Amino acid sequence: MKKKVLSAVLAATMVAGMMGNVVSVSAEEKYDLTLYSINTTDPDFDDWLANVEEATGLNINVIAAPTDSDTRQQKITTILSTGDSSVDIVEINDEMSAAFKNSGWLESLNDTVMTDDIIDQFAQGYIADMITDKDGNIIGVPGYSGYLAFWVNQEIMDEVGIESIDTKEDFMKYMEAVSKDGRYGYGGSWEKTYVFNELAQFVNMFGGDYFDWTKEENKEAVQFLHDLVANNETPIDEIADKYEQMNPKANDGKYGCWFMWGLGTDYAKADMLGDDKIHMAMVPDFSGNGERAIFTDSWSYVLNSASKNKDAAIKFLQYMADEGGMEASYKAFDRYPARKDVAEKVVPDTDPAKEMYSQYAEECNVQGRPMVAQTMEFISDMGTIFQSCMKDEITVDEFCEKAQEIVATYQ
């Protein structure tokens, strides 16, 4: 069935009554709920929607979310904060979840969707960190699991004769062996709004706490990254790089290892994805206590508290949290199932991510990233002082002092 998918701008204009007779939308069609979706541009969206409607018996209206992230967040904030009941289900990212989860704008799903038997199959750290409010209410259904994976270039590893990077000492040996002639042991995406991911990752790897910069482990993590720059084992000019700039350099063999979200689509497009080329590896244990830290992110489906179609919305969310819904999302959008039991069933063994993602789920402390209500401001301020530290404009000690002040401002 061909569905009417309205852009957010068009929908808002029509609601305001400003379209006159230019656009005609049938008033007769009855919808059970309205979904505000980020996936409408995907070529398999219509097939996904047909699957969901057939499985749930729901007739679903869809509004396409803006592709620009700032505009999208503003639109969603307006919908939820004004009690707009025209949208029932919204897809939100971790940044929005941090901002919205304690606002009262989102319905608790503990008793209806995210029951104990279901919750047990998700990454517990992510559930607690990202989609549980201050009162213990779970307000979202994660749509997928996407690790900030550790990636290595196997060709470079073979060249320098290093078989694995399991400890901090292994990592340091690899840095020294790889870094020469314009090639670096480690590559990063250190633009000020992106470096947050890696900084938080290294803090966790050293056993620190991103919200407590008085801890010695936090200082050790920053000093470690600073030393990579000082030793020419990672390039200072990566402070301008987002993933769009980092990944081509990785494909070109400029980096021996790095952290990156997702399943390696950019590497596959460049014919560089594979066990003998670029691939995921286990996160090294830097703390020495046998614990390996990793982040996962997701877009989650949430229920607008102002919705007047909550029974239908809950039926939709139950399917999204169930095996059928996760399998449909995996097939349509390449979204790796957030439930480990479902991933084991529906992801074929031929999927190159399956083995490593399974190991991450079983062997790592999987968490959501440390975020606050004013997440983008927090991220940007931390990124700014991090770059200053890497450029030796401030010392590591001064960075930690400033970081603690930023935490106090936003937490």
Side-chain angles (χ1 to χ4, degrees):
M1 183 195 310
K2 184 172 176 59
K3 303 299 296 180
K4 292 188 293 292
V5 178
L6 304 178
S7 75
V9 175
L10 175 57
T13 304
M14 291 172 60
V15 169
M18 297 174 63
M19 289 299 293
N21 296 321
V22 177
V23 177
S24 176
V25 176
S26 170
E28 287 75 29
E29 186 159 8
K30 175 70 171 65
Y31 293 109
D32 297 303
L33 66 87
T34 294
L35 166 68
Y36 199 84
S37 177
I38 62 168
N39 290 309
T40 57
T41 58
D42 191 286
D44 293 321
F45 181 81
D46 284 346
D47 290 341
W48 173 84
L49 185 59
N51 172 285
V52 175
E53 290 187 318
E54 182 178 359
T56 61
L58 298 170
N59 191 24
I60 301 172
N61 183 37
V62 179
I63 297 176
T67 55
D68 176 73
S69 58
D70 290 337
T71 303
R72 182 173 57 235
Q73 182 149 346
Q74 290 169 7
K75 293 281 187 183
I76 293 174
T77 301
T78 299
I79 290 169
L80 296 175
S81 65
T82 60
D84 182 351
S85 63
S86 64
V87 173
D88 304 295
I89 300 290
V90 183
E91 288 183 82
I92 64 172
N93 60 14
D94 290 344
E95 289 84 351
M96 285 187 273
S97 183
F100 301 157
K101 66 181 181 180
N102 293 313
S103 64
W105 302 338
L106 304 174
E107 194 81 1
S108 172
L109 305 177
N110 293 50
D111 299 327
T112 54
V113 181
M114 298 295 280
T115 52
D116 289 344
D117 57 324
I118 298 293
I119 295 170
D120 286 346
Q121 298 301 327
F122 289 92
Q124 299 302 293
Y126 179 83
I127 294 289
D129 294 338
M130 301 313 309
I131 56 172
T132 301
D133 72 12
K134 63 182 187 303
D135 297 321
N137 297 304
I138 298 174
I139 50 81
V141 176
Y144 65 92
S145 184
Y147 292 103
L148 183 60
F150 183 57
W151 295 84
V152 299
N153 185 316
Q154 189 62 47
E155 293 176 337
I156 295 175
M157 290 187 71
D158 292 343
E159 175 196 323
V160 300
I162 291 180
E163 295 184 0
S164 65
I165 308 170
D166 192 55
T167 65
K168 182 174 70 173
E169 290 69 31
D170 291 341
F171 190 96
M172 294 170 69
K173 288 178 183 176
Y174 188 55
M175 295 300 100
E176 184 177 356
V178 170
S179 303
K180 60 182 179 181
D181 301 328
R183 188 175 68 184
Y184 299 91
Y186 181 78
S189 175
W190 283 9
E191 190 272 340
K192 71 175 183 177
T193 61
Y194 278 60
V195 70
F196 159 77
N197 295 293
E198 291 168 61
L199 177 57
Q201 173 64 29
F202 275 88
V203 167
N204 273 11
M205 287 165 66
F206 276 95
D209 179 347
Y210 200 78
F211 292 123
D212 184 0
W213 289 91
T214 66
K215 293 179 69 71
E216 189 62 31
E217 293 87 349
N218 290 39
K219 178 180 176 181
E220 190 177 1
V222 179
Q223 186 67 57
F224 186 85
L225 293 170
H226 179 274
D227 290 347
L228 290 182
V229 175
N231 296 333
N232 211 32
E233 293 166 344
T234 198
I236 187 61
D237 61 8
E238 70 193 9
I239 63 173
D241 289 353
K242 299 181 179 181
Y243 297 130
E244 292 86 350
Q245 291 79 41
M246 182 187 77
N247 284 332
K249 295 176 183 179
N251 281 328
D252 290 342
K254 299 293 186 183
Y255 298 146
C257 64
W258 58 94
F259 283 96
M260 178 63 197
W261 297 104
L263 304 178
T265 302
D266 286 354
Y267 316 135
K269 289 179 180 176
D271 193 29
M272 284 298 296
L273 184 67
D275 290 341
D276 58 342
K277 297 178 182 177
I278 290 173
H279 62 86
M280 283 182 268
M282 178 51 69
V283 180
D285 171 20
F286 273 29
S287 65
N289 60 12
E291 292 189 5
R292 302 176 192 272
I294 196 168
F295 289 125
T296 187
D297 78 335
S298 188
W299 283 76
S300 294
Y301 295 100
V302 297
L303 173 52
N304 182 1
S305 291
S307 168
K308 296 179 180 177
N309 302 305
K310 288 181 180 175
D311 289 344
I314 287 168
K315 183 180 290 188
F316 171 88
L317 291 169
Q318 287 171 336
Y319 185 63
M320 289 299 99
D322 203 2
E323 179 177 333
M326 291 205 168
E327 182 173 14
S329 294
Y330 170 69
K331 290 180 176 178
F333 309 134
D334 295 326
R335 298 171 111 186
Y336 201 88
R339 283 177 53 172
K340 59 186 178 182
D341 60 333
V342 173
E344 190 61 36
K345 288 182 182 179
V346 308
V347 179
D349 292 338
T350 54
D351 188 318
K354 184 174 185 177
E355 181 179 359
M356 203 68 254
Y357 265 44
S358 296
Q359 288 187 41
Y360 285 158
E362 292 295 329
E363 300 176 25
C364 294
N365 179 16
V366 182
Q367 295 177 293
R369 291 168 292 167
M371 293 183 175
V372 297
Q374 292 177 273
T375 285
M376 293 315 298
E377 294 88 343
F378 178 53
I379 287 173
S380 181
D381 286 359
M382 290 291 284
T384 297
I385 64 169
F386 176 83
Q387 291 186 347
S388 293
C389 182
M390 296 301 107
K391 293 187 291 184
D392 284 327
E393 295 172 350
I394 60 174
T395 66
V396 170
D397 284 336
E398 288 171 332
F399 169 85
C400 292
E401 291 173 7
K402 290 178 183 293
Q404 191 62 30
E405 292 172 0
I406 292 171
V407 168
T409 298
Y410 290 109
Q411 195 177 28

